[in-house]
Amino acid sequence: MNSHQIMRGNMLEALASPTALSACMNLPSRPESVKTARDFVADQLACWGHPDLEYAATLVCSELVTNAVTHANPDPSTSECMVALTLVPGEALITQVADPHPAPPIPKATFSGALAEHGRGLSIVTHLTAHWSASPRPDGKGKVISAYLPIVEQPACAAPTGSTRPIARARTDRS
């Protein structure tokens, strides 16, 4: 699915789906919260029976929480970020990270290389998701970054026809 096919309206519709499953967690705005968020995502996806989404979802969540902790933290002693997951079975996983800073993230057009420590988070999110967006929090105290990760159903492998034994190599004696 290409990112131009998924828009904010599609994401809002998915969030309102009657089949959607949701879970959320509040975290202090501290660096160690990034690992806690990854563990939360992995555990929740295992609970929902979707370990296939774990790699991409934990990476997306990790990048968004890292951005919240690093850039949107006016007072580390009192601020929090919230991580919310919404699974729409057969359609998508929506990861949302809310933080207290109202300014939207600014994706960098390029970063200084594969080994750069900063500047690649939103590039990773863009690459792994069909769509992401930033919007004001409903309480007016910050923003929410939402990322839409489509569920791609893997086709079942067809049963093999005929023999499954390896084909014997022809022996050629040239003596």
Side-chain angles (χ1 to χ4, degrees):
M1 194 172 291
N2 295 329
S3 61
H4 68 278
Q5 295 173 331
I6 301 296
M7 301 307 277
R8 183 163 168 70
N10 300 94
M11 196 164 7
L12 293 173
E13 185 177 306
L15 286 167
S17 170
T19 62
L21 304 169
S22 295
C24 66
M25 162 182 253
N26 286 324
L27 298 165
S29 289
R30 296 192 305 247
E32 55 271 16
S33 292
V34 176
K35 180 183 181 329
T36 304
R38 280 194 306 263
D39 292 344
F40 167 70
V41 170
D43 292 347
Q44 196 59 57
L45 289 172
C47 180
W48 287 337
H50 271 284
D52 54 311
L53 299 174
E54 182 180 341
Y55 176 78
T58 56
L59 189 52
V60 166
C61 187
S62 176
E63 293 299 336
L64 295 178
V65 172
T66 297
N67 283 351
V69 168
T70 304
H71 303 293
N73 193 359
D75 182 1
S77 64
T78 61
S79 66
E80 290 187 323
C81 62
M82 182 203 61
V83 176
L85 299 174
T86 302
L87 176 72
V88 182
E91 185 178 333
L93 175 71
I94 299 168
T95 301
Q96 296 179 297
V97 175
D99 67 55
H101 195 274
I106 300 169
K108 293 185 180 182
T110 60
F111 54 92
S112 59
L115 299 177
E117 271 190 50
H118 302 289
R120 64 178 179 230
L122 289 175
S123 295
I124 291 169
V125 172
T126 299
H127 179 74
L128 292 175
T129 64
H131 176 74
W132 70 268
S133 66
S135 56
R137 284 174 45 168
D139 63 6
K141 298 178 182 176
K143 67 180 170 300
V144 178
I145 308 298
S146 303
Y148 186 99
L149 182 64
I151 295 174
V152 179
E153 298 295 330
Q154 297 296 324
C157 293
T161 57
S163 172
T164 59
R165 292 179 296 168
I167 298 172
R169 296 178 81 176
R171 183 172 176 194
T172 56
D173 288 329
R174 296 190 180 201
S175 43

